[in-house]
Amino acid sequence: MSVAIPWESLFGGMLLGVSATLLLLLNGKIAGISGVLTGLMTPKNRDYAWRWLFVFGMVSGGVFGVYFLGAEVPKEYAATTSMLIVAGLLVGIGTRLGNGCTSGHGICGIGRLSVRSMVATAVFMFVAAVTVFFRLHVL
């Protein structure tokens, strides 16, 4: 039995960890996308520059991956438009209820040894496993 190491995924995970750590150490900011986007939508915060750069970096990184590294983008989806809308709303509601998204809790929160983030990430993973089981074996 041969085990292939997903080098690109490992390298990407390392980049995420290093960038989240640097943002926290140098700016005191958490790299959770829901918090970044919320800060862009609330007029009381005046720290827009780093948030816009963060979002620009995410988008341009995706574009770079597709056009220069040959990453594949799905052309067809098995879900209907209404299913995608409902799924997006459920993700938004879950993010609001969980006081953050998977990136904020899973990458940044666990790295800071936050008990709340550890519990939230465990709940995310459990619900994901149940969802996959239900989708593959029940439906």
Side-chain angles (χ1 to χ4, degrees):
M1 179 175 162
S2 175
V3 177
I5 298 173
W7 292 108
E8 294 88 357
S9 300
L10 178 63
F11 182 65
M14 291 169 53
L15 283 176
L16 283 171
V18 168
S19 62
T21 301
L22 288 174
L23 184 63
L24 182 62
L25 290 176
L26 299 177
N27 277 0
K29 307 291 183 188
I30 305 295
I33 190 59
S34 61
V36 171
L37 291 176
T38 300
L40 283 175
M41 294 184 284
T42 54
K44 62 183 174 185
N45 292 337
R46 297 187 190 272
D47 57 348
Y48 290 114
W50 78 269
R51 294 175 191 275
W52 281 113
L53 288 171
F54 190 96
V55 172
F56 175 76
M58 284 188 4
V59 172
S60 61
V63 170
F64 179 82
V66 168
Y67 288 106
F68 297 107
L69 301 178
E72 293 290 324
V73 177
K75 307 266 186 293
E76 295 179 20
Y77 299 96
T80 64
T81 302
S82 58
M83 285 176 70
L84 292 174
I85 290 171
V86 169
L89 289 172
L90 288 174
V91 168
I93 291 168
T95 299
R96 195 67 155 157
L97 288 174
N99 288 326
C101 58
T102 53
S103 62
H105 284 298
I107 297 171
C108 304
I110 290 177
R112 293 181 298 120
L113 301 177
S114 166
V115 174
R116 181 175 83 168
S117 291
M118 290 181 205
V119 171
T121 303
V123 170
F124 296 153
M125 297 305 289
F126 176 75
V127 170
V130 169
T131 302
V132 168
F133 178 83
F134 184 78
R135 168 71 171 86
L136 293 179
H137 301 291
V138 177
L139 295 178

